Structure formats: C-alpha cells, structure tokens
Amino acid sequence: MEGNKPQLIIDGKRTDGRGFDELRPIKIEANILKNANGSAYIEWGNNKILAAVYGPKEALPKHTADPTMAIIKSRYTMAPFSSLEEHGRSGPNRRATEISKVTSEVFENIIMREMFPGTEIDIFIEVLQSDGGTRAAGITVASVALAAAGIPMYDLPYAVSAGKIGDQMVLDLNKIEDNYSDADIPMAISPRNGDILLLQMDGSITKEDFSTAYSMVKKAGATISKIQKDALKAPYEKIIEKYR
Ligand code: CDP
C-alpha cells in the first residue's frame, strides 16, 4: 500500500492474476427475454448485465420523431443491488444519464437509421452486478441485442476500456483498478474498419499511451467480436443440430 492506494501490480500480474493486455472472461447469451424484440445477457468478469431492444416503433412523444430516420433512445441503469456503492439507490443519476447518452451516440452512428423514418429504437441496459467497465460491457451486449432484434447495422460494435496504472498501460480495468488507476479510457470500436465510436477518458495519458491503448483495444476486439457472433449463432446451431 502506498498511502491508501492499493498496489495494483505485483510481480508483473494484476490483482486478479491477469496479464496487462488480458481480458476478463466474457460470456454472452442472446435472445433470453420473450417480450423484447431482441435481448442479450453478458457476464464480463463480475459484471452481469442485461440488454433489451424494442422497435423500430412509432417515435413518441411525436415531437421527438425525425421524419428522415429512426431515433435511438438508450437507458442505462444500475440496479440498486448491483454494487456496494449503489446499494439502496435507484433511478437515473448524472452518471447513468451520461452513459445512456454516449451509448445512444455509439448506435446512432452504426444503425441504418434512414431505413426507419419517424421511428424510435429503444435500448435498455440493466446492470445487475457491477465491477468496473459496465459502460463498455453494456455497449457490447446491447450490440448483440440489436442484432438479435434484426436491426440492420453497418457493423457489430464492441467496447472495452484500456487504462494506465503507474507507467503501465492495461486492458479492461476492473473496479479496484478503475478506482485507483491513473487513467481509464473506455472505447467502442467498429471492428470492420477500426473506427472509434466512443472515446472517453478519466485521467491523463501521452500520445504514445493512447496508441498502446488503441492497439490493446483493437487486439481484444478479435476475441470480443467472436464471442458476440457465437452468441448470435448459438440458437440457430441448436436448431441445425436437432435436424442433423
Ligand atoms: O462501469 P464503468 O467503468 O463504465 O463506469 P465508472 O463510472 O467508471 O464506474 C466504475 C465502477 O464503479 C462501476 O462499474 C461500478 O462497479 C462502480 N460504481 C458504483 O458501484 N456505483 C456508482 N454510483 C458508480 C460506480
């Protein structure tokens, strides 16, 4: 311990035993809610998050509608029991409002919105258990829920954070790392062309640090994208298996 700051890297390993560019284990299941047009559930380390998508449907109230394209409404919420900090609290707060806004912006740039003028597409992200990196995990699972809803998109985005602990750049910060890190940089990426759809930063880094962060995030994309696609294929593979 240095003051009150826990030591986050000991003998080249992180508190949970991971290497610097190692993701936490990720599992995704698609289409688990009957009443949503598309849904998905993710376990990302100790994060447990549900995403549900409704629409495209008539945009209401009517004055919010865009006659040329669909509007995206995202709502990120942390269940009151999702963490020790949130315990007993519920409803939107400033942080939830911000995460909802940036999530909408990610999907506004990737959904083929012109196909559905005058409509809205609702994305609900419910954090049931949180352990750092929930906005990234939320975007990753919402992406699967949108695809499961059959919403046409230019790509299947994923998101993950990179960060800085002392002089070391690391991938996918957990809660304790996030709390005590020198920088936390959540990014959402379109894997097809590497476009950055979300870039936020808490802390400060150099240009070189940013290149390291971006390359770590891009490299992790191969793993995350595969898990997203496998989740979308799984229900169909079960059917094919049945008739084999
Ligand atoms: O989850 P993410 O890293 O995207 O967001 P953050 O605002 O950087 O918060 C980091 C972590 O702190 C969250 O994942 C939660 O585990 C925790 N947190 C919490 O428990 N209660 C809050 N009101 C805010 C954050």
Side-chain angles (χ1 to χ4, degrees), residues 39-140:
S39 61
Y41 170 69
I42 192 166
E43 289 184 2
W44 181 318
N46 291 321
N47 291 314
K48 295 185 180 196
I49 305 172
L50 198 52
V53 167
Y54 296 83
K57 58 184 189 174
E58 186 188 1
L60 287 174
K62 278 208 164 99
H63 69 84
T64 62
D66 181 335
T68 64
M69 64 179 91
I71 55 168
I72 311 300
K73 291 185 183 166
S74 305
R75 196 192 77 168
Y76 165 104
T77 7
M78 276 180 109
F81 51 82
S82 65
S83 79
L84 290 171
E85 281 169 47
E86 277 288 298
H87 186 72
R89 296 189 58 206
S90 63
N93 52 28
R94 282 173 59 170
R95 174 178 170 273
T97 306
E98 171 216 323
I99 298 179
S100 303
K101 179 179 184 286
V102 297
T103 301
S104 285
E105 286 167 1
V106 167
F107 292 109
E108 276 165 9
N109 286 303
I110 212 82
I111 292 173
M112 298 182 182
R113 298 196 289 143
E114 293 76 11
M115 288 177 73
F116 309 105
T119 69
E120 68 178 63
I121 297 169
D122 297 339
I123 303 170
F124 294 96
I125 296 171
E126 297 284 323
V127 180
L128 305 177
Q129 185 170 288
S130 79
D131 190 34
T134 59
R135 78 191 64 205
I139 290 166
T140 302

Side-chain angles (χ1 to χ4, degrees), residues 139-200:
I139 290 166
T140 302
V141 69
S143 202
V144 175
L146 282 158
I151 309 279
M153 293 188 279
Y154 294 106
D155 202 359
L156 193 66
Y158 71 89
V160 63
S161 277
K164 193 171 183 180
I165 298 176
D167 289 333
Q168 183 62 52
M169 295 306 291
V170 296
L171 181 75
D172 186 19
L173 287 79
N174 64 24
K175 169 133 170 67
I176 181 140
E177 292 176 325
D178 187 75
N179 281 5
Y180 297 101
S181 65
D182 298 281
D184 171 27
I185 314 148
M187 283 187 230
I189 304 283
S190 174
R192 193 162 50 98
N193 53 15
D195 275 3
I196 298 176
L197 301 167
L198 166 92
L199 176 62
Q200 294 187 282

Side-chain angles (χ1 to χ4, degrees), residues 19-36:
F20 301 136
D21 61 353
E22 199 177 329
L23 284 166
R24 287 173 280 180
I26 303 173
K27 272 196 283 185
I28 304 178
E29 199 177 329
N31 268 339
I32 53 161
L33 299 175
K34 188 170 161 285
N35 293 340

